[in-house]
Each structure stands twice: as C-alpha cells, then as structure tokens.
C-alpha cells in the first residue's frame, strides 16, 4: 500500500466562475464566515510602499506608469540611497505600518551594486523590526537565496490576470516567466505575495482563471493583493472603464473563500472606492491595506481618512494587539 498522500483537489475554473456568479450578498456572507474562521476580523495588516527605483522600465505592462513604452507623467530616476530609504521606513513604522515594501521598476534583478544596495535596504528594514517586502521584477534562484539571506520576508510578483488575457496586457515577458519567479521565491523560503489587477480589459473568465491559478499554487500564497486599475495618462489603458465596486467586492470574497489563510490586501484603487465599498471588502475578508499618502507613483487615501474609517468600522492595525489598542483609547 502506498503511503504517498493523494494530491490536494485542484480548484477548477468552473468552480471559480460559479462562485463569482453567485448573488453578491450570499458570496460576501460565506466569505465573511471563512474569514472569521481563519483570522481576527478586527485586525488589518498595514504595509507601506516606497518606490526605490522609479520609471524607465523596459517592460510594456499596459497599466503601468513606469513602463518606458508609455509616455506618462512618471519620469525615470536613479535608485534611492539606502539612507533615504531607511528614513522612509522609520516614518512608516512611526505611522503604524508593520511591513515596508520596496518596489523597483526593473524587468529583472541583475547582480551588481544596485542589487547589493537593495540587500542593504532589506537588512536595514529588518533592523527597524519591520517585515520586509520587495518587488523587483523577475528573479533567479541564486538571487532569491541572497534576498532570503538578507532577511526578506515577502516577495511581491503578481500574476495580474488570467493566462488567456496576459498577452493583451504585456508582451515583453510571459505568464510562465511570472510563475518561474514565484517558484524561485518559494524555493528560497520567502513568503509569496501574488495577486492581480481588475479593470484591465479582462473578461470574467480571465478573472476566474487568475483566482484559480493563485488558489492552485502549492502552497497557496501567503499574501494576495487585489488591485483595481489606477488609470494612468499616456498608458494604453488610460481610457478603460472604471471597475465597478461590486466586482471588487466579489473578487475579494471569492479570493477569501478559495485562499482562506492568506492575507488578502485591498491594494491599489482604494482612492476611487467609497468608504462603504471598502467596508464590504473588509467584511468579505480583505485584511490588509497600504497605509500612507502614496502607493508607488500614484496617491493612496490619506492616513487620517484611513484612521477615521478604521474607527467607524471597529478595525485596528494588526501590529497593535488588543491590549495596546485598548491602552491607546
Ligand atoms: N516591476 C515589478 C513587477 O512587475 O512585478 C514590480 C512593480 S509593479 C508596479 C507591481 C504591481 O503593481 C503590478 O504587478 C500590478 O499588479 C500593480 N500595478 C501597477 N500599476 C498599477 C496601476 N496603474 N493600477 C493598479 N495596479 C497597478
Ligand atoms: C501590488 O499588488 N500593488 C502595489 C504593490 N503590489 C507593489 C503597487 C500598486 C501600484 C499602483 C500604481 C502606482 O502607484 O504606480
Ligand atoms: Fe511596471 Fe513592473 Fe511592468 Fe515594469 S515590470 S512596466 S515596473 S509592472
């Protein structure tokens, strides 16, 4: 008799399409139950983002302000210094973030002085007792190992959309390239942060494909960002219709049901959502946001308005345990 455990059942495309087609409030109700079985529903993990290398990216991702293929208001800059980056990280910690995420507009990591500087940034962020996350484009296994050795907790690399739509969004790298990077990150023992964007011309099938692809990663990603397109002047997607709030809520709810243990981030696009729509996302299982005035190159809701929203909803940053939160009242 074989002692090899049977493979985990795969999430099929039909399963996800069925979920997304359910009446919205039924879906939210189930997602809220799954959420409460796996997480404290009052706690929201708070990350802060910083673009450490902005613009001039050789990739042609159609949504992105930083692609050299698009003429956008974002201009190319050199890599920030380690000192300037750590000064931002200190401020992020003081403002309540527990994770600092650094983004570089690179196609891929190249060995050399810039990568060495990013490794120093990661070490410095860890010394501040913050979790460290980076998003640097494609990485090879030996580079992922070096990131892990520097203390990196999370690597963000989104699948962005379903495989059938990917070539309509990017042509300079492939879906399998993205999966290869996620594999290198996973093999190095770094937590995987991978999600997608809504509103980039995808069909509901492509959305379902994305969720099935993420749910079938083994192990499932520890962090899943759901972004709604921030329309950037000069990109091929500047005139896309805004994604309806109900579709963001449904996607969040389906992701929570399919990937129950993950930290599910309501990521770019909150600035275009009402408080009520964000509240439904939190009810449906979103339990992470970016704090701070800026994402990478575009604005994020003001920290004051996020604090007011948390107060109305009885939410608190996950880094403040309940006794600390009570003491602060
Ligand atoms: N170069 C790296 C990469 O491609 O993974 C990292 C940077 S990229 C800005 C990280 C993610 O941000 C993208 O994969 C996409 O999901 C999201 N993103 C980028 N521009 C966006 C926009 N205009 N609106 C919403 N999300 C966006
Ligand atoms: C993710 O999924 N969203 C973040 C983070 N990972 C790196 C980036 C959002 C970028 C939004 C557009 C901008 O500010 O340039
Ligand atoms: Fe933007 Fe990243 Fe694509 Fe470069 S690889 S264009 S930074 S999303």
């Amino acid at each position: 008799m074989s002692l090899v455990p049977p493979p985990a059942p795969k999430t099929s495309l039909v399963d996800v399409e069925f979920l997304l087609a359910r009446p919205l409030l039924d879906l939210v109700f189930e997602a809220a139950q799954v959420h409460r079985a796996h997480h404290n529903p009052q706690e929201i993990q708070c990350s802060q983002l910083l673009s450490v290398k902005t613009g001039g990216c050789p990739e042609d991702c159609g949504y992105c302000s930083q692609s050299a293929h698009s003429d956008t208001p974002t201009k190319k800059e050199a890599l920030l210094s380690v000192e300037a980056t750590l000064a931002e990280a200190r401020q992020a910690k003081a403002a309540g973030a527990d994770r600092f995420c650094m983004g570089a507009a690179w196609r891929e990591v190249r060995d050399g002085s810039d990568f060495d500087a990013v490794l120093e940034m990661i070490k410095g962020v860890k010394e501040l007792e913050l979790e460290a996350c980076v998003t640097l484009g494609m990485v090879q296994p030996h580079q992922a190992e070096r990131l892990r050795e520097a203390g990196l907790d999370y690597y963000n690399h989104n699948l962005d959309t379903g495989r059938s739509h990917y070539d309509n969004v990017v042509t300079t790298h492939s879906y399998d390239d993205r999966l290869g990077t996620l594999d290198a990150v996973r093999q190095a023992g770094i937590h995987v942060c991978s999600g997608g964007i809504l509103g980039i011309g995808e069909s509901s099938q492509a959305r379902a494909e994305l969720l099935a692809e993420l749910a079938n990663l083994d192990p499932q990603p520890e962090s899943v960002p759901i972004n709604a397109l921030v329309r950037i002047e000069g990109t091929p997607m500047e005139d896309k219709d805004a994604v309806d709030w109900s579709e963001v809520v449904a996607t969040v709810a389906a992701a929570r049901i399919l990937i129950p243990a993950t930290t599910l981030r309501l990521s770019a696009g909150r600035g275009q959502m009402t408080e009520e729509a964000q509240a439904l996302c939190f009810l449906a299982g979103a339990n992470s946001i970016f704090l701070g005035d800026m994402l990478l190159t575009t604005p994020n809701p003001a920290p004051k308005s996020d604090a007011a929203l948390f107060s109305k909803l009885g939410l608190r940053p996950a880094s403040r345990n309940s006794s600390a939160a009570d003491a602060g009242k």
Side-chain angles (χ1 to χ4, degrees), residues 53-69 103-108 135-138 157 160 166 169-170 172-173 178 197 296:
K53 164 66 190 80
T54 303
C57 181
E59 302 304 276
D60 68 354
C61 311
Y63 49 77
C64 186
S65 62
Q66 307 201 69
S67 168
H69 298 257
W106 290 334
R107 166 183 166 77
E108 64 209 328
T135 179
L136 311 171
M138 294 183 270
H157 199 67
D160 277 343
Y166 200 67
V169 177
V170 190
T172 47
H173 57 255
R178 301 298 279 183
I197 314 189
L296 290 173

Side-chain angles (χ1 to χ4, degrees), residues 121-306:
M121 292 172 187
I122 293 167
K123 288 181 197 161
V125 167
K126 294 298 294 178
E127 280 166 16
L128 294 172
E129 296 186 349
L130 285 165
E131 288 186 320
C133 172
V134 293
T135 179
L136 311 171
M138 294 183 270
V139 290
Q140 297 171 37
H142 74 278
Q143 297 163 332
E145 287 292 339
R146 292 188 70 198
L147 289 165
R148 181 66 203 129
E149 283 160 21
L152 187 69
D153 296 292
Y154 287 81
Y155 195 91
N156 168 245
H157 199 67
N158 291 338
L159 292 177
D160 277 343
T161 190
R163 187 183 279 274
S164 68
H165 188 50
Y166 200 67
D167 293 350
N168 302 323
V169 177
V170 190
T171 67
T172 47
H173 57 255
S174 69
Y175 212 69
D176 286 326
D177 289 333
R178 301 298 279 183
L179 288 167
T181 289
L182 293 183
D183 193 44
V185 166
R186 175 62 76 203
Q187 294 304 325
I190 299 166
H191 293 135
V192 168
C193 172
S194 189
I197 314 189
L198 308 180
I200 55 173
E202 75 282 5
S203 60
S204 55
Q205 183 190 310
R207 245 175 233 176
E209 285 169 25
L210 168 68
L211 290 175
E213 196 85 48
L214 293 168
N216 286 326
L217 290 174
D218 185 14
Q220 294 188 323
E222 286 81 6
S223 168
V224 172
I226 303 292
N227 297 277
L229 177 69
V230 180
R231 288 166 291 174
I232 312 274
E233 180 195 332
T235 63
M237 301 207 176
E238 67 178 326
D239 294 325
K240 288 277 181 231
D241 289 338
V243 59
D244 193 80
W245 63 268
S246 62
E247 297 180 43
V248 182
V249 173
T251 306
V252 164
R256 173 51 72 216
I257 292 167
L258 294 165
I259 317 176
T262 200
T263 304
L264 185 56
R265 179 173 305 127
L266 189 56
S267 192
R270 281 197 309 118
Q272 286 79 252
M273 291 176 78
T274 62
E275 286 194 337
E276 293 89 332
Q278 292 183 62
L280 267 179
C281 289
F282 294 131
L283 181 63
N287 63 345
S288 168
I289 59 165
F290 285 118
L291 277 187
D293 288 308
M294 289 292 286
L295 293 166
L296 290 173
T297 66
T298 65
N300 194 42
K304 261 191 179 171
S305 64
D306 280 339

Side-chain angles (χ1 to χ4, degrees), residues 9-50:
K10 291 268 182 192
T11 300
S12 75
L13 186 58
V14 174
D15 293 339
V16 185
E17 287 180 314
F18 180 76
L19 265 187
L20 289 173
R22 280 180 54 186
L24 185 63
L25 294 183
D26 286 356
L27 183 63
V28 169
F29 182 72
E30 184 182 333
Q33 289 175 311
V34 172
H35 184 51
R36 279 147 202 265
H38 288 83
H39 304 270
N40 180 334
Q42 265 115 47
E43 289 189 349
I44 303 290
Q45 188 275 324
C46 295
S47 296
Q48 190 154 325
L49 257 180
L50 178 68

